[in-house]
Amino acid sequence: MIRYGTNPIAWSNDDDWSIGDHLSLEDCLSDCREIGFDGIEKGHKMPDEGAALKAALAEYGLRFAAGWFSTSILVRDIGDEVKSLRDWISFTKAAGGDHINACECSNTVHGNDRVAVNDRPVMTDAEWERFSRGYEELSRIAHEEGVAMGYHHHMGTIIESEAEIRRFMEMAGPYTRLLLDTGHAWFGGADPGALARDFMDRVSHIHCKNVRPGVAKQVREEDLSFLEGVRRGAFTVPGDAEGCVDFAPVLREAAKAGYSGWLVIEAEQDSAVRDPREYQGLGLRSLKAMARAAGLDATAEVAG
C-alpha cells in the first residue's frame, strides 16, 4: 500500500527555526488535511511525547509517517547509541509510526550557516568501518523491535555523493536499509533513478524532493551553506516546472520491486516566500499522477 506524506519543514524549518516561525502547528496540520495527505513526519513544533503526537495528528486525520533520528556513531559508544535508539523506537511506536529516518550527525555541517556545504566531512577508511558496523547494529535492533530504519543520505553529511551511497550499500549488513531521497541524491551528484534500480529492494522509505538546478549551482559555485541554499529555494516539490528531478524512473523501479510504504514530499522552502499549501498541493497532485502512471499506485485519485 502506498501512503502519501509530507514533512513540516515546508511550513517551519527544523534547522533554522526562524524560517516559517510565523506559522503554527495548527496552520501546518490544517493545510495537510485540506490538501489530502495521509500523514506527516516529525517537526520541532510537534509534541515530543509519542501518544500526544498521535492524538494531535488524529485530530486532523493524519498518521505519523516517520521521524528524524540523529546518530553519533563516529564519536559515541555504541551502548549509548543503542539506548538513544531504543528511546526513539518507543516514541515512534507510541506515535503510531513504523519507520525511523536515521542520519549520522556527529560532524554534519548541514545545519551550520557558517560552513559551506562543500566543506562537509569525509570519512577515513577506519571511520567507514566503524560507521558501517555501528549502523548495522542499530538497524538490527530496530528490526527486532518491529521498526524499519532507513539511512537518510543528505547534503552536508558523511554520505552525500553517489560513490558514498554506493559504498554504504556495498558495506551494509543484512539489516541496513536506505531512505532514498531524490533531491539529496541529485544535489549530491547521483542519479536517483540509477540508485532506485540498484537498491530498491533495500529501500524502506522514499523522500520525493525536487531541485532547482540554478540555485543548486549557486550553492556549489559560491560556497554557500546548506541553509542559505534552502532560503534561496534550492528545493521544491514534484510537479514544479522549475525543478529538474525525474521522478518517473524512481517510481517505476519502486513498482517493479513491489515497494509498499510512504512517498513523502520533503521539500523545505521559505514559507514566507512560497506558500506551502500551494506548493504541497501541487506536489501531491503531481506525485499521485506520477505514481499512477508508473504502475506504483493504481488506486491513486488523480485530479483532472
Side-chain angles (χ1 to χ4, degrees), residues 136-270:
E136 171 67 8
E137 174 64 9
L138 296 182
S139 298
R140 181 189 65 80
I141 291 169
H143 173 79
E144 291 177 353
E145 292 286 344
V147 175
M149 186 167 76
Y151 190 80
H152 191 341
H153 57 98
H154 197 288
M155 296 295 296
T157 72
I158 58 170
I159 300 180
E160 174 187 290
S161 70
E162 179 163 2
E164 288 162 343
I165 296 169
R166 291 185 177 279
R167 182 172 181 177
F168 171 72
M169 296 306 295
E170 288 165 2
M171 294 180 71
Y175 296 103
T176 293
R177 296 292 180 268
L178 181 69
L179 185 163
L180 178 57
D181 186 301
T182 58
H184 282 286
W186 189 95
F187 207 149
D191 176 353
L195 294 177
R197 179 194 65 217
D198 295 341
F199 304 118
M200 185 55 70
D201 62 332
R202 305 194 73 181
V203 169
S204 57
H205 204 66
I206 300 176
H207 278 175
C208 298
K209 186 195 297 284
N210 209 346
V211 181
R212 294 183 175 93
V215 181
K217 184 178 180 182
Q218 291 175 11
V219 172
R220 290 302 198 191
E221 293 183 351
E222 298 177 25
D223 275 334
L224 303 179
S225 70
F226 176 79
L227 287 174
E228 181 59 23
V230 170
R231 283 189 289 269
R232 294 193 184 193
F235 299 114
T236 186
V237 300
D240 187 343
E242 295 182 349
C244 63
V245 172
D246 186 1
F247 294 92
V250 174
L251 299 176
R252 286 196 297 267
E253 292 297 335
K256 285 197 294 185
Y259 175 80
S260 178
W262 289 94
L263 298 179
V264 176
I265 301 176
E266 194 222 26
E268 61 266 51
Q269 304 192 73
D270 185 344

Side-chain angles (χ1 to χ4, degrees), residues 280-300:
Q280 293 288 305
L282 168 64
L284 183 58
R285 292 191 303 272
S286 302
L287 186 57
K288 283 188 171 183
M290 293 174 190
R292 187 179 182 102
L296 178 59
D297 185 7
T299 69

Side-chain angles (χ1 to χ4, degrees), residues 85-142:
L85 175 61
R86 290 195 186 279
D87 289 343
W88 194 252
I89 289 172
S90 295
F91 165 81
T92 298
K93 288 182 174 180
D98 58 9
H99 194 274
I100 294 172
N101 304 343
C103 184
E104 176 68 15
C105 293
S106 61
N107 55 4
T108 180
V109 303
H110 78 271
N112 190 340
D113 229 350
R114 300 183 301 276
V115 179
V117 74
N118 291 339
D119 295 332
R120 68 184 181 88
V122 176
M123 287 191 289
T124 64
D125 287 343
E127 288 173 327
W128 269 103
E129 290 293 338
R130 175 175 176 143
F131 174 72
S132 182
R133 288 196 307 271
Y135 189 77
E136 171 67 8
E137 174 64 9
L138 296 182
S139 298
R140 181 189 65 80
I141 291 169

Side-chain angles (χ1 to χ4, degrees), residues 57-68:
L57 297 183
E59 291 182 17
Y60 295 86
L62 299 169
R63 297 181 56 179
F64 181 52
W68 176 285

Side-chain angles (χ1 to χ4, degrees), residues 73 76-83 130 134-135 137-138:
I73 295 167
R76 281 217 304 178
D77 180 81
I78 192 63
D80 294 330
E81 289 291 285
V82 169
K83 182 180 183 302
R130 175 175 176 143
Y135 189 77
E137 174 64 9
L138 296 182

